[in-house]
């Protein structure tokens, strides 16, 4: 793993820690004395991997973040010096430059109006916990390996076939569902249909939703009409990321060598949602998984990847990250509207990152 990839991972982890710390401080500052005392008792009974009480660790974090409220929460001060609280995020998360091929961070959206205020404290944490409970159970390990990426028989964009070596990672077994994305929108109202920054999506954003309500009966259908920036924001909220293009293709192949599709060389509507046969999206996990336990790697919706679109190299690569910048992002996998050719594991499509069409989200993280 190179320096920029390592930095990107650290930044995502730091952003998640900051959000958790903010939620914790809100709870500590607003809860009753009885609630705080009970909370402190529970935390003191939980030990971290280093043997410290979780209450001790959090007391240090809250104190270093500007607090004295931890004393009222039934926390006892740690024996060692309180750790330094995370400062403001820098680099991509602060709005300047790029990190490991990520686009510049967007300008923060306008402040939330009082009647649209984001949930705080326990409410926000509860929304995140609900989303993570669904997603974390579905993360599938993809072992480090070397595979041949691309194809001689596809378009010029898929050539030349070349060896790629990847470190281990994890990928969600399903596309993000409407139900899961709705939790994100409730927790982050700046990404609601009517408030999302117009510079980060086109007019089709969540076009099949009615305000903040997704289509009735489509809880387990994949969320569509999301831009790259929306997909990236959702993944970051979970403390995860989107897959690199090479990671996506390796995972889609499911361990098969030299095959066109995730499950072999055949493709039809009994294997995937394609060619308008189902007249729209279908619930995730409806069709058979590939060899890595991943569903809908072909069909249903295209999927955003992290990489900018560019030509393949002619030499072997290790953990490639794609071009440093570009005009279009890579989407993969084909959709319910696509013919079988677009569903091949090597097929590539370039798309404007603000475009909101038949493209969904599949999150990844480190193993």
């Amino acid at each position: 793993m190179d320096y920029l990839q390592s930095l990107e991972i650290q930044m995502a982890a730091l952003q998640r820690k900051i959000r958790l710390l903010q939620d914790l401080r809100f709870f500590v500052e607003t809860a009753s004395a009885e609630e705080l005392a009970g909370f402190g008792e529970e935390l003191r009974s939980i030990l971290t991997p280093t043997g410290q009480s979780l209450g001790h660790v959090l007391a240090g974090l809250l104190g270093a973040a500007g607090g004295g409220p931890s004393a009222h929460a039934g926390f006892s001060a740690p024996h060692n010096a309180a750790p330094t609280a995370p400062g403001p995020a820098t680099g991509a998360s602060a709005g300047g430059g790029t990190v490991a091929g990520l686009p510049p961070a967007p300008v923060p959206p306008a402040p939330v109006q009082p009647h649209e205020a984001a949930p705080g404290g326990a409410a926000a944490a509860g929304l995140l916990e609900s989303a993570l409970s669904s997603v974390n159970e579905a993360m599938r390990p993809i072992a480090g390996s070397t595979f041949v990426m691309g194809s001689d028989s596809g378009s010029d964009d898929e050539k030349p076939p070349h060896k790629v070596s990847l470190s281990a990672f994890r990928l969600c077994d399903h596309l993000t569902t409407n139900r899961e994305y709705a939790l994100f929108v409730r927790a982050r109202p700046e990404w609601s249909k009517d408030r999302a920054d117009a510079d980060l999506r086109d007019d089709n954003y969540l076009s099949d939703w009615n305000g903040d309500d997704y289509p009735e009966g489509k809880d387990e259908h994949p969320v569509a009409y999301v831009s790259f920036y929306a997909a990236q924001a959702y993944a970051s909220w979970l403390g995860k990321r989107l897959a690199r293009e090479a990671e996506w293709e390796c995972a889609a192949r499911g361990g098969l060598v030299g095959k066109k599709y995730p499950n072999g060389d055949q493709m039809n509507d009994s294997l995937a949602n394609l060619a308008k046969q189902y007249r729209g999206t279908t619930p995730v996990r409806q069709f058979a998984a590939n060899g890595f336990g991943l569903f809908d790697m072909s069909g249903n919706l295209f999927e955003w990847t992290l990489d900018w679109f560019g030509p393949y190299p002619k030499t072997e690569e290790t953990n490639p990250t794609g071009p440093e910048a570009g005009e279009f992002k890579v989407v993969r996998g084909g959709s319910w509207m696509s013919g079988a050719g677009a569903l091949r594991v090597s097929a590539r499509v370039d798309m404007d990152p603000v475009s909101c069409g038949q493209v969904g989200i599949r999150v990844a993280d480190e193993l």
Side-chain angles (χ1 to χ4, degrees):
M1 180 180 297
D2 63 26
Y3 170 74
L4 289 179
Q5 284 180 295
S6 176
L7 181 59
E8 179 185 343
I9 293 167
Q10 293 175 30
M11 290 299 300
L14 180 59
Q15 288 175 324
R16 184 179 176 192
K17 290 175 183 176
I18 291 172
R19 287 194 298 272
L20 289 173
L21 183 58
Q22 290 171 337
D23 290 342
L24 215 76
R25 288 190 62 195
F26 180 88
F27 172 75
V28 170
E29 291 168 358
T30 58
S32 67
E34 292 78 9
E35 289 174 321
L36 291 174
F39 186 52
E41 287 296 328
E42 291 179 5
L43 291 181
R44 281 203 299 274
S45 68
I46 301 172
L47 297 181
T48 68
T50 62
Q52 281 187 299
S53 161
L54 185 57
H56 286 178
V57 175
L58 292 177
L61 286 173
L62 291 168
S70 59
H72 302 289
F75 300 135
S76 52
H79 296 297
N80 54 349
T84 302
T90 58
S93 63
T98 61
V99 175
L102 291 177
V107 176
V112 178
Q113 298 302 314
H115 66 284
E116 298 173 320
L127 291 168
L128 179 57
E129 182 179 359
S130 294
L132 282 172
S133 67
S134 171
V135 173
N136 281 336
E137 290 182 2
M139 299 302 291
R140 300 290 175 257
I142 312 296
S145 64
T146 298
F147 76 105
V148 176
M149 184 174 181
S151 170
D152 267 330
S153 60
S155 69
D156 288 343
D157 291 332
E158 299 170 37
K159 302 174 183 176
H162 57 292
K163 285 186 176 181
V164 173
S165 296
L166 294 175
S167 300
F169 64 101
R170 297 196 307 169
L171 196 64
C172 190
D173 75 6
H174 65 277
L175 286 152
T176 298
T177 65
N178 283 312
R179 175 182 56 79
E180 290 166 340
Y181 197 77
L183 295 172
F184 166 66
V185 169
R186 286 171 57 195
R188 298 284 301 276
E190 70 271 25
W191 281 105
S192 63
K193 179 176 180 176
D194 298 326
R195 287 185 49 80
D197 191 327
D199 291 334
L200 306 179
R201 48 86 178 182
D202 64 22
D203 291 341
N204 287 325
Y205 179 64
L206 297 180
S207 62
D208 59 340
W209 286 37
N210 181 16
D212 291 339
D213 297 325
Y214 53 80
E216 185 177 357
K218 292 192 174 183
D219 306 51
E220 297 305 308
H221 284 238
V223 63
Y225 303 108
V226 289
S227 68
F228 166 81
Y229 299 110
Q232 186 177 340
Y234 170 78
S236 178
W237 177 64
L238 293 173
K240 301 187 187 299
R241 59 179 176 82
L242 303 177
R244 292 288 179 185
E245 184 183 14
E247 291 175 331
W248 189 96
E249 183 168 328
C250 175
R253 290 181 178 276
L256 299 179
V257 178
K259 300 298 183 181
K260 290 183 180 180
Y261 302 105
N263 290 302
D265 285 327
Q266 302 298 316
M267 179 53 63
N268 55 56
D269 60 10
S270 69
L271 300 172
N273 181 358
L274 76 161
K276 303 182 182 180
Q277 294 299 304
Y278 294 88
R279 303 180 183 277
T281 58
T282 46
V284 299
R285 301 187 174 118
Q286 177 166 312
F287 299 92
N290 72 358
F292 290 157
L294 306 172
F295 299 88
D296 289 325
M297 294 303 286
S298 283
N300 220 357
L301 289 178
F302 281 99
E303 303 176 21
W304 290 108
T305 73
L306 271 177
D307 293 9
W308 293 105
F309 192 90
Y312 283 156
K314 297 180 180 180
T315 57
E316 185 171 345
E317 296 183 291
T318 299
N319 293 325
T321 59
E324 292 185 2
E327 185 177 0
F328 302 105
K329 287 290 183 178
V330 179
V331 300
R332 291 294 207 116
S335 80
W336 64 271
M337 301 178 68
S338 304
L343 273 63
R344 293 175 299 108
V345 290
S346 59
R348 312 172 72 207
V349 175
D350 56 329
M351 188 164 290
D352 189 321
V354 303
S355 179
C356 300
Q358 298 303 317
V359 188
I361 308 167
R362 187 186 301 265
V363 298
D365 63 15
E366 310 312 313
L367 187 61

